[in-house]
């Protein structure tokens, strides 16, 4: 009976050691997977962040271009208004001069 008991305990101890070994391997695998997943997530976050930064930069450049074109158009409109004012004042002055000439004649 002792021999059977010893044999059974030996197998039980062997099985326990094998189980501990498998658990240790599984923990190492999980640790590797966790590090790998975290690395991949960090990589993905960096890529997304870079894409967003590039898109923001492009949008800001486009906005700057549009603002510059609008400012240019506003200046052109201002110049046109100024020219029209000058022509109108010139015309008024000429008409006033002609009216004075007609009055003196």
């Amino acid at each position: 009976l002792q021999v059977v008991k010893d044999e059974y305990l030996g197998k039980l101890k062997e099985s326990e050691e094998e189980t501990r070994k498998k658990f240790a391997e599984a923990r190492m695998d999980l640790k590797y997977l966790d590090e790998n997943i975290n690395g991949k997530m960090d990589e993905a976050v960096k890529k997304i962040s870079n894409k967003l930064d590039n898109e923001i930069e492009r949008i800001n450049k486009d906005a700057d271009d549009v603002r510059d074109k609008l400012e240019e158009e506003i200046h052109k409109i201002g110049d046109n208004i100024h020219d029209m004012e000058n022509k109108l004042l010139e015309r008024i002055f000429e008409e006033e001069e002609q009216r004075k000439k007609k009055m003196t004649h």
Side-chain angles (χ1 to χ4, degrees):
L1 187 64
Q2 187 63 36
V3 171
V4 171
K5 184 180 171 187
D6 289 345
E7 191 177 303
Y8 178 75
L9 286 175
K11 286 183 181 180
L12 198 59
K13 189 174 181 181
E14 242 178 65
S15 176
E16 182 183 356
E17 286 175 11
E18 189 65 31
T19 301
R20 286 180 195 269
K21 186 177 166 185
K22 286 186 181 186
F23 270 114
E25 288 173 2
R27 271 194 298 276
M28 292 301 289
D29 288 347
L30 284 173
K31 185 178 177 186
Y32 171 78
L33 286 173
D34 186 47
E35 288 171 358
N36 197 13
I37 287 170
N38 285 336
K40 297 276 187 205
M41 284 176 39
D42 288 347
E43 216 174 279
V45 167
K46 284 179 188 173
K47 283 182 182 177
I48 291 169
S49 179
N50 285 341
K51 285 183 181 180
L52 288 173
D53 287 345
N54 290 341
E55 192 61 17
I56 288 169
E57 190 175 313
R58 186 190 64 76
I59 289 169
N60 285 337
K61 184 186 177 304
D62 289 351
D64 288 344
D65 290 348
V66 168
R67 187 191 69 241
D68 291 346
K69 287 179 183 174
L70 284 173
E71 285 176 357
E72 190 177 304
E73 287 300 314
I74 289 169
H75 285 297
K76 283 181 186 176
I77 290 169
D79 290 345
N80 287 343
I81 289 172
H82 188 68
D83 289 347
M84 290 170 72
E85 286 174 340
N86 286 340
K87 286 178 184 174
L88 187 59
L89 288 172
E90 221 175 273
R91 186 171 169 190
I92 291 170
F93 180 75
E94 287 173 2
E95 287 177 2
E96 189 65 28
E97 288 294 316
Q98 286 179 2
R99 194 176 61 80
K100 283 182 184 177
K101 283 182 184 178
K102 284 183 183 176
M103 296 287 244
T104 58
H105 287 251

